[in-house]
Each structure stands twice: as structure tokens, then as C-alpha cells.
Amino acid sequence: KGSQKTCGDRLRIPLPRASGMPPRSPATEDWPEAFVISLDCEPAKLEGFAAHMRTISAPFRRHPGVLADERVRRAAVKQGLIAPSRASPPLRGRLGCALAHLTLWERVAAS
């Protein structure tokens, strides 16, 4: 167990790519492009999601999740995204989630 890495370790872990997805099935060919937000440090969750999506032949693209560590929290306060008084540790998970969604929306808008 000492060699297991957690999100707190902030290590880059190779992740499965959507390129191995089967072609769309007739049931999914008209679906809009799908994205999944996934933390780099949780590849098992992504693989579980990818396995399900393969069963329905639904391709997707991965967007990186955000770990709202102290550096990210300070940047969010500086940019006015959150008030300093609201930046407690329980908020950091929600902050990371919100920032991941925000950056995905920016990515979609730019495409």
C-alpha cells in the first residue's frame, strides 16, 4: 500500500485514451460529442467509465480535472472567483470541480 499513489501526490499517471473506442453504433451516431472530466490521479475511475462507454459504442474525450491545491486556491482568490473567507479545505473540492467545468466550457467555446 505504501507504493499506491493518491490524488494528493499530484503525480502524472498514464491514462487510457479514447482513440481505442469502437466506431459509433447506429444508436449513438447522432449524439453530440461527449466529454468526461477526470483527475489524472484517478485512472481507475476513468477506465470504469471508458468500459461502460465502450459497451454502448459511445466515444468520448477526456478533459483533465483540477486539484484545487493551495496554489490554485490563491489564484482563484486573486482572480476574484472566490472570497478569501470561502477558501476553506472543504471548498477546495468544489473549487476544483468548478474550475474543471469552466475550463471545459472554454475549450468547447473555442472549438
Side-chain angles (χ1 to χ4, degrees), residues 43-87:
K45 285 186 179 181
L46 178 60
E47 184 49 42
F49 178 81
H52 171 72
M53 295 299 275
R54 283 191 294 273
T55 67
I56 60 172
S57 298
F60 66 93
R61 292 172 52 190
R62 179 188 174 272
H63 184 78
V66 175
L67 283 174
D69 59 13
E70 184 60 25
R71 179 187 55 82
V72 170
R73 186 202 62 80
R74 282 194 310 270
V77 169
K78 185 176 181 178
Q79 294 175 30
L81 296 174
I82 58 172
S85 62
R86 301 288 298 165

Side-chain angles (χ1 to χ4, degrees), residues 2-106:
S3 64
Q4 290 179 335
K5 302 300 178 192
T6 66
C7 283
D9 295 326
R10 290 184 207 88
L11 294 177
R12 293 280 179 197
I13 298 171
L15 296 172
R17 297 181 184 260
S19 59
M21 297 295 293
R24 288 180 181 259
S25 71
T28 62
E29 64 188 16
D30 293 330
W31 288 5
E33 184 172 29
F35 290 89
V36 63
I37 296 173
S38 176
L39 291 169
D40 291 345
C41 58
E42 296 185 341
K45 285 186 179 181
L46 178 60
E47 184 49 42
F49 178 81
H52 171 72
M53 295 299 275
R54 283 191 294 273
T55 67
I56 60 172
S57 298
F60 66 93
R61 292 172 52 190
R62 179 188 174 272
H63 184 78
V66 175
L67 283 174
D69 59 13
E70 184 60 25
R71 179 187 55 82
V72 170
R73 186 202 62 80
R74 282 194 310 270
V77 169
K78 185 176 181 178
Q79 294 175 30
L81 296 174
I82 58 172
S85 62
R86 301 288 298 165
S88 64
L91 177 70
R92 291 184 187 160
R94 292 179 292 203
L95 175 62
C97 182
L99 291 173
H101 282 82
L102 178 63
T103 57
L104 176 54
W105 279 111
E106 289 172 343

